[in-house]
Amino acid sequence: MIRDALVWCLVAVAAIAVVAVVALAARNRALGAKKQQSEGELRHQLHISDQQLQLARAELMRFTTDLDRTLQEAKEAAEENTKAVLKGAASFLQSLAAEQTTLLDDVQRKYGNHAVLSDLLEVNHANAQMARKAQGIAVMCGAPLGRRKRAASVYDVVRSAQGQIRNFHRVSIMQQTGLALKASAVAPVALAVAELLDNAASFSQHDAPIEITFQRVQNNLCIVIDDAGVSMNDEDRQRATELLSGNIVPRLSQLGNQPKFGFPVIGLIARQYGFRVDVTGVSRYGGVRAVVLLPEELWTVEETPPAYEAPVSNILRTEGRPQNGSRTTHGLPKRGARQAPIASVPDPESTPPAPRSAEEPSRFSGRSLGAFQRGTLSGRNLDATSLEGSEDA
Amino acid sequence: MPDEHEPEQELELTSPLVPLFVITNGRALPPDHQYEHTALVMAAEGASAMAGALSPEARQVLDLITEGFLSVAEVAGHTHLPVGIVRILLAQLEEDSLILVRRPVPRAERVDRELVSAVLEGLKNRFGA
């Protein structure tokens, strides 16, 4: 009995278990199908989102490029505007400074014998420095450089540059050459050399020498500037070379609060007028050696005549200078009875008479008197008022 | 930029290329009584040979006065330089003992009239004229 009951129980349990297993399996299958369905949906949604993201990203990219371009354009426009404004102002300053230099020169000649001359020389020095700065800004803004009409010796061009920096007496030009720069090259080379000298003076001790020499290398004329300052490191050298080549022109806004015009200005004018500048050398003092290399189109071998006719070569050599015997023991010339005390200067209007030998004793004193008169006349008649200033000086 | 360069009007620089203060190398003006208009200057014996690195202007002055004495005013006239500049150049040349200078005879100074009358007064008082 008990066994039957047990068997039935077992059968019942087994049946329940089978039913449960079947039910669970069915549920499991249903769940799997649902999962697969939702996975498919999710995947689909992910795909859509992905596509949206791609679109959004592309759009962002476009906006960024647009923004960059607009910014660039705005910067360039601002640069152009600033340049245009500055160019006008700088050109104005430049012409004013040039005018003032001319005026100052006239005033210096007018008050040539007055104590005020030394002050005028200083004012002119300050003015020359201002003119250089104005020229530099004008060049940076694309304005043309001032122009000179006459060719000039390279020595004078360098002296002109020398006058445009503060401590100009530190600069010594070691030699004079018979080489001249063509008129078109005078102003740009003077400005470039002035900027290099200013650089040399700023980066060396305030009393260190700056030496200028000239060299002819093949068809080029080199102006070599040696300073005794600190030499540049490789990075500085590379940067300087880039700027001096004129390939890289920094924006005005990149020049900083204490703008360094020097190298960019040199680079621009060197490129414009066709010469080269190199500062990578080492000077004999361990400082920087700057070389301005002028191709043969910019210079000639002929010596330019001086701006005024110097009577030097025309002086008559008839009177003969006092000989050694006519000196006192202290080396002073003796006032001989009829020695020729005055240098004779020819009358500029008339052709110089043929040199006469000193063997005409009867006319000797008359001739020297005539020469004296001519000399004093030609000496005083030449713009006497404007050259010598007021007599009450 | 070189393309824009042409049409624009270029500034013509008319001032002398070498400014006067560079010619004098920043030297100060000599005192008034030195190298007056009428002072006579002449190159020293063998000065041209001794003169090494003179500026063209100083060389020009030296060449002018090689032949004999010339007054300062005349030197200025011939070189077309202001008298003051010539005086500075002469001071430099004299320092290098390249020139001889013959200063003008100083003018006799006027006796102070008040002093003389005071002396006269005193004499009168002392000796009773």
Side-chain angles (χ1 to χ4, degrees), chain A residues 303-324:
Chain A
E303 177 81 83
T304 49
Y308 38 80
E309 296 95 50
V312 180
S313 53
N314 297 335
I315 292 180
L316 292 183
R317 296 180 189 271
T318 54
E319 314 292 352
R321 55 177 303 146
Q323 296 304 307
N324 290 344

Side-chain angles (χ1 to χ4, degrees), chain B residues 54-100:
Chain B
L54 279 183
S55 71
E57 290 78 14
R59 160 74 60 183
Q60 194 194 356
V61 168
L62 199 64
D63 284 347
L64 258 181
I65 55 178
T66 309
E67 290 295 306
F69 279 101
L70 210 59
S71 75
V72 172
E74 283 172 298
V75 173
H78 286 299
T79 52
H80 291 233
L81 289 169
V83 178
I85 303 298
V86 169
R87 289 174 58 217
I88 296 175
L89 291 178
L90 289 173
Q92 184 205 330
L93 289 173
E94 196 181 14
E95 213 169 78
D96 300 343
S97 24
L98 293 175
I99 56 166
L100 304 168

Side-chain angles (χ1 to χ4, degrees), chain A residues 60-73:
Chain A
L60 184 68
M61 197 73 131
R62 215 177 55 236
F63 278 132
T64 322
T65 334
D66 271 4
L67 185 69
D68 279 355
R69 207 180 51 233
T70 320
L71 262 179
Q72 187 74 14
E73 276 169 8

Side-chain angles (χ1 to χ4, degrees), chain A residues 257-317:
Chain A
N257 278 340
Q258 290 187 326
K260 292 194 172 58
F261 286 120
F263 286 174
V265 166
I266 299 172
L268 278 172
I269 49 177
R271 169 168 267 225
Q272 197 169 327
Y273 290 91
F275 58 92
R276 273 191 297 158
V277 179
D278 175 272
V279 292
T280 53
V282 176
S283 80
R284 70 189 85 172
Y285 302 111
V288 173
R289 163 170 285 191
V291 180
V292 181
L293 199 143
L294 304 162
E296 60 182 335
E297 298 86 58
L298 297 182
W299 56 275
T300 49
V301 255
E302 296 112 63
E303 177 81 83
T304 49
Y308 38 80
E309 296 95 50
V312 180
S313 53
N314 297 335
I315 292 180
L316 292 183
R317 296 180 189 271

